[in-house]
């Protein structure tokens, strides 16, 4: 394993398998960074997943394995990327406690990401305190590794803004310790769900998963939101906001032909079913090799857990160093 310089941290919440939005929104960026520079940290954020899934520990535990599988199947290489489990690095929880003192409850309630998610999950005033504070724990995830670049989807930008406020406060109160963080957005930072209403998300029932079978992909593509006013093939249709085109834009290898199809769709004379069949084919071609590698890896669960175990041990070394420094700065290094 290359020595990890701790410049990049990225992660997934183990709340389910990963989907196409993840692939274009974050995994692709991770793989690029892995190839260009290596030495990145990848975290399975089980502590964060439990903030809104406290009653479903089994679901979270199973998903830890699944999200690790998804990343490995897409090309994450444990020799280049330190893959670890958040809960097994208790230094992160310790750092979270200290960061909580630097943030106000009203600021957390105003965080646009948290606000949207509270609404989506129907928490209202009964939002778990841990969920409300997850941006603080996310700041600790990043800063425990002194990471300064974070590949994320668009929904995470306000959370990273909050991290930077914590960086400023900490440095002001205790002396310069942390660097500001920079989000690394992909070219498609917000892929829509098949419902066309919200971003594709594991928790919203609107996702095409990397592990879906060819049949499931076909069925979900058939349900995709297009243009509600495009009823007959002969009707003129809208391309903007049309989920089928959003995915063809990203995945169709023949962009020239796609441009022609768009023209035809706008003019009228092209049915949704033709386009949906094209998209199913494109997606299944893309997913085939990922599914195959995923199945192979899944047949040896111990190997996957060993990778996470070794990565966690490695990650903890870095987090411990950071905490030694933090305790000194905060004058709580008594013994
Ligand atoms: P949950 O519903 O449990 O929050 P999620 O689908 O939002 O799950 P996360 O694990 O929260 O997935 O996100 C992992 C990473 O993927 C984050 O960087 C996030 O910004 C990015 N991401 C998630 N959904 C999308 C999407 N639809 N398009 C682009 N990026 C996304
Ligand atoms: Mg999310």
């Amino acid at each position: 394993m290359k020595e990890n310089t701790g410049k990049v941290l990225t992660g997934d919440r183990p709340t389910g398998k990963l989907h196409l939005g993840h692939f274009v929104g974050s995994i692709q960026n991770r793989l690029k960074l892995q190839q260009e520079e290596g030495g990145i940290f990848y975290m399975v954020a089980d502590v964060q997943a439990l903030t809104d899934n406290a009653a479903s520990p089994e679901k979270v535990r199973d998903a830890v394995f699944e999200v690790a599988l998804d990343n490995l199947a897409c090309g994450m290489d444990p020799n280049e990327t330190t893959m670890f489990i958040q809960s097994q690095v208790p230094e992160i929880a310790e750092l979270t406690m200290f960061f909580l003192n630097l943030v106000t409850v009203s600021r957390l309630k105003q965080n646009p990401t948290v606000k949207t998610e509270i609404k989506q999950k129907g928490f209202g005033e009964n939002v778990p305190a841990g969920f409300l504070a997850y941006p603080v724990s996310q700041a600790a995830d990043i800063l425990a590794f002194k990471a300064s670049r974070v590949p994320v989807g668009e929904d995470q930008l306000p959370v990273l803004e909050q991290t930077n406020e914590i960086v400023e406060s900490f440095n002001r109160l205790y002396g310069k310790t942390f660097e500001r963080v920079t989000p690394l957005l992909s070219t498609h930072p917000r892929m829509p769900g098949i419902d066309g209403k919200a971003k594709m998300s594991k928790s919203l029932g609107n996702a095409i998963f990397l592990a879906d079978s060819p049949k499931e992909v076909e069925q979900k593509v058939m349900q995709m939101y297009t243009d509600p006013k495009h009823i007959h093939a002969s009707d003129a249709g809208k391309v903007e906001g049309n989920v089928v085109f959003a995915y063809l834009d990203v995945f169709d290898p023949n962009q020239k032909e796609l441009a022609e199809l768009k023209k035809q769709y706008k003019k009228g004379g092209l049915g949704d079913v033709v386009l949906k069949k094209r998209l199913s084919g494109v997606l299944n071609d893309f997913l085939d090799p990922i599914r195959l590698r995923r199945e192979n890896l899944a047949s040896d669960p111990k190997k996957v857990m060993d990778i996470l175990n070794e990565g966690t041990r490695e990650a903890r070394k870095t987090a411990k160093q950071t905490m030694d420094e933090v305790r000194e700065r905060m004058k709580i290094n008594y013994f």
Side-chain angles (χ1 to χ4, degrees), residues 28-297:
Q28 222 171 15
N29 249 348
R30 291 174 189 164
L31 298 177
K32 194 167 151 258
L33 285 162
Q34 172 181 274
Q35 200 188 11
E36 284 170 3
E37 47 192 278
I40 73 173
F41 286 102
Y42 166 75
M43 179 183 76
V44 185
D46 61 340
V47 174
Q48 192 186 117
L50 285 163
T51 60
D52 55 327
N53 289 278
S56 315
E58 256 120 46
K59 175 179 123 179
V60 172
R61 189 187 172 101
D62 291 347
V64 168
F65 179 66
E66 299 293 346
V67 299
L69 265 190
D70 282 322
N71 277 279
L72 289 166
C74 289
M76 191 167 277
D77 176 356
N79 293 313
E80 298 291 341
T81 298
T82 307
M83 299 176 71
F84 70 96
I85 304 180
Q86 186 185 22
S87 63
Q88 306 307 299
V89 183
E91 288 74 16
I92 298 174
E94 188 183 353
L95 190 56
T96 304
M97 281 309 288
F98 300 133
F99 284 172
L100 278 169
N101 303 330
L102 310 179
V103 179
T104 65
V105 173
S106 79
R107 172 68 180 94
L108 287 170
K109 283 190 178 160
Q110 290 313 313
N111 184 307
T113 308
V114 177
K115 239 169 139 173
T116 309
E117 291 178 348
I118 287 177
K119 212 189 253 165
Q120 278 172 348
K121 292 171 201 293
F123 283 140
E125 280 300 303
N126 293 321
V127 57
F131 186 81
L132 187 66
Y134 94 71
V136 181
S137 114
Q138 200 160 311
D141 300 334
I142 300 164
L143 299 176
F145 299 93
K146 298 262 184 120
S148 52
R149 289 170 302 156
V150 189
V152 283
E154 199 174 68
D155 61 301
Q156 291 300 306
L157 292 180
V159 179
L160 294 188
E161 219 175 285
Q162 189 123 43
T163 298
N164 279 331
E165 288 171 24
I166 291 172
V167 168
E168 302 287 345
S169 302
F170 192 98
N171 289 348
R172 187 164 33 81
L173 293 172
Y174 306 116
K176 176 116 177 57
T177 311
F178 299 111
E179 298 289 334
R180 285 175 65 85
V181 304
T182 313
L184 302 177
L185 281 184
S186 82
T187 40
H188 301 279
R190 188 186 187 86
M191 294 302 290
I194 59 169
D195 55 2
K197 280 193 216 132
K199 80 168 186 84
M200 185 168 276
S201 163
K202 318 182 198 88
S203 308
L204 296 177
N206 64 2
I208 295 180
F209 297 100
L210 300 175
D212 276 348
S213 69
K215 193 101 220 129
E216 283 168 317
V217 172
E218 262 170 52
Q219 282 163 352
K220 288 182 182 176
V221 170
M222 278 303 161
Q223 292 166 29
M224 263 185 185
Y225 178 88
T226 55
D227 170 3
K229 295 207 177 106
H230 184 250
I231 297 161
H232 306 290
S234 55
D235 295 340
K238 255 171 71 180
V239 167
E240 299 75 37
N242 187 318
V243 181
V244 176
F245 281 112
Y247 281 84
L248 283 172
D249 275 340
V250 177
F251 289 98
D252 199 320
N254 193 340
Q255 290 288 319
K256 221 169 131 195
E257 219 172 272
L258 179 62
E260 282 306 311
L261 290 171
K262 280 184 186 170
K263 264 193 219 155
Q264 211 184 333
Y265 193 82
K266 283 191 211 163
K267 219 165 60 194
L270 180 59
D272 280 352
V273 175
V274 177
L275 284 173
K276 285 180 168 176
K277 284 205 169 127
R278 181 184 179 97
L279 180 59
S280 295
V282 163
L283 290 180
N284 277 328
D285 286 349
F286 166 76
L287 290 172
D288 273 340
I290 295 176
R291 280 191 283 246
L292 194 67
R293 279 197 297 272
R294 206 180 185 286
E295 269 168 44
N296 286 335
L297 286 158

